[in-house]
Amino acid sequence: MRERYISDSVIRRLPKYHRYLKELEERGTGRVSSSALAHALGFTASQVRQDFNCFGGFGQQGYGYNVSSLLSEIAAIIGVNKKHSAVIIGVGNLGHALVNNFDFVNCGFNLTAAFDASADIVGERIGNITVKSVDDIDSFYKENPFDIAILTLPRACVTDMAQRLTRLGVKGIWNFTNVDLHLEEFGVKVENVHFADSLMTLCYEISDAKND
Amino acid sequence: MRERYISDSVIRRLPKYHRYLKELEERGTGRVSSSALAHALGFTASQVRQDFNCFGGFGQQGYGYNVSSLLSEIAAIIGVNKKHSAVIIGVGNLGHALVNNFDFVNCGFNLTAAFDASADIVGERIGNITVKSVDDIDSFYKENPFDIAILTLPRACVTDMAQRLTRLGVKGIWNFTNVDLHLEEFGVKVENVHFADSLMTLCYEISDAKND
DNA sequence: TAGATTGTTAATCGATTAACAATC
DNA sequence: TAGATTGTTAATCGATTAACAATC
């Protein structure tokens, strides 16, 4: 299915198309043009058409794109229809936030377990998940291999945990710990969510404005 | 101080230099070369030197860069020494996570207040902050104008809140709500943290691996 | 001094934008 | 058919990489 190399720039725009097309579909909009999409998302019409043509054109000349079919093409490309499995490691405030409020299914994942090191938290029930001990990760993996692990645990434990998960054979890690993980050489995809990097960028921008 | 235009690519690397240089300083490392930095961060030595030369060279030929002075230059460029003020709006799980665990000072901010709409949460004390009602935002701003607002509230309230904050005159918004905010035309800098975009990117990558 | 490493210019590469023929 | 809008090629722009003279 995936023939040629798709650049990171394109890939990072796919979720934005997905989100907006979903919005259009909910509103009952049937068709959309590259220029309308571009306007809504802050891209250019050329860029939009180039992006879609990475995967083979989904449009119709003189008409534009059919919202539902474009949405399902994009969903298929991202893989959100695949029902990957995910576990979360570290059930502090952030872990709770994700388990309680985050729509994993919308992103192509099922959350199958949660683990924590603290005896106070192990056993806690959140929604339909009961927090297990981190000691049980390996045995749980053997019974229920998961595709990715979500790291929301203290900095100090991250490197060890990442190694352990790599040995187990996870496909990816969603890393919230502000430790830069690079496991590409071991075939593990890592997506780092660096809150601090994001806030520092904003810091730069408002400092900048101050100086103008 | 800020003379020429600096590209977004460069700006987004600054926090990474900052983090790694801080690490080096803590370890007591006195000097570092562009190639060592590049290796640690996954950049190229050329890129590192180009980046620093956007702001005027900080190095010494034949020697490299002095860790502490490079760190403080970069800190000054980002503006993390500026003590901007921030308030958080929405004190659910994610809001709690940030208030409890996030190192705002490291990013150049002081958290001065927290607001929530729910009577159950208003009045709660977290660290040295007492949660106020969202109704008090305007009057609080008049007494204690803040530079940025952190949005960790439900999707449905975001657009209204963003407008209100824009009217008040905030400089920036750190947006965690998965609603794409664009307020650049009103002079408000927005940094969107889209969890779903990030996880979808990982979804794409592990789906990709699956097909290889 | 010789060795190392920067600062900076030039070359390359890739991504974005523009243009327009194809076609619904 | 005429109008609209795609798919696709070519042009432009910007970012990354390479190279090397300057110099500590």
Side-chain angles (χ1 to χ4, degrees), chain A residues 1 3-4 6 32 34 37 45-61 63-66 69-74 77:
Chain A
M1 176 199 188
E3 290 109 7
R4 39 173 166 157
I6 307 296
V32 67
S34 57
L37 270 172
S46 271
Q47 198 171 34
V48 170
R49 294 202 298 277
Q50 290 276 34
D51 284 353
F52 295 163
N53 280 89
C54 289
F55 308 99
F58 306 135
Q60 194 175 342
Q61 276 137 326
Y63 172 83
Y65 300 88
N66 178 285
S69 63
L70 183 56
L71 175 58
S72 57
E73 292 281 4
I74 300 230
I77 291 162

Side-chain angles (χ1 to χ4, degrees), chain A residues 17 25 39 53 77 79 98 106 114 121 129 134 162 179 204 206 212:
Chain A
Y17 292 123
E25 192 179 54
H39 180 80
N53 280 89
I77 291 162
L98 290 170
N106 180 55
I121 295 169
I129 281 183
V134 286
V179 173
Y204 174 88
I206 66 167
D212 281 348

Side-chain angles (χ1 to χ4, degrees), chain B residues 146-209:
Chain B
F146 42 86
D147 295 306
I148 69 157
I150 303 161
L151 298 188
T152 47
L153 39 74
R155 283 184 65 91
C157 321
V158 177
T159 318
D160 283 352
M161 185 56 76
Q163 272 177 20
R164 199 168 148 193
L165 293 164
T166 303
R167 262 200 305 275
L168 282 178
V170 299
K171 295 195 182 94
I173 289 179
W174 197 22
N175 174 33
F176 283 84
T177 63
N178 210 35
V179 173
D180 239 325
L181 281 181
H182 290 285
L183 302 167
E184 287 72 12
E185 50 183 316
F186 307 108
V188 179
K189 310 284 183 180
V190 178
E191 177 70 18
N192 292 300
V193 181
H194 285 312
F195 288 180
D197 289 14
S198 171
L199 185 55
M200 281 190 196
T201 304
L202 188 58
C203 180
Y204 174 88
E205 280 165 3
I206 66 167
S207 304
D208 197 39

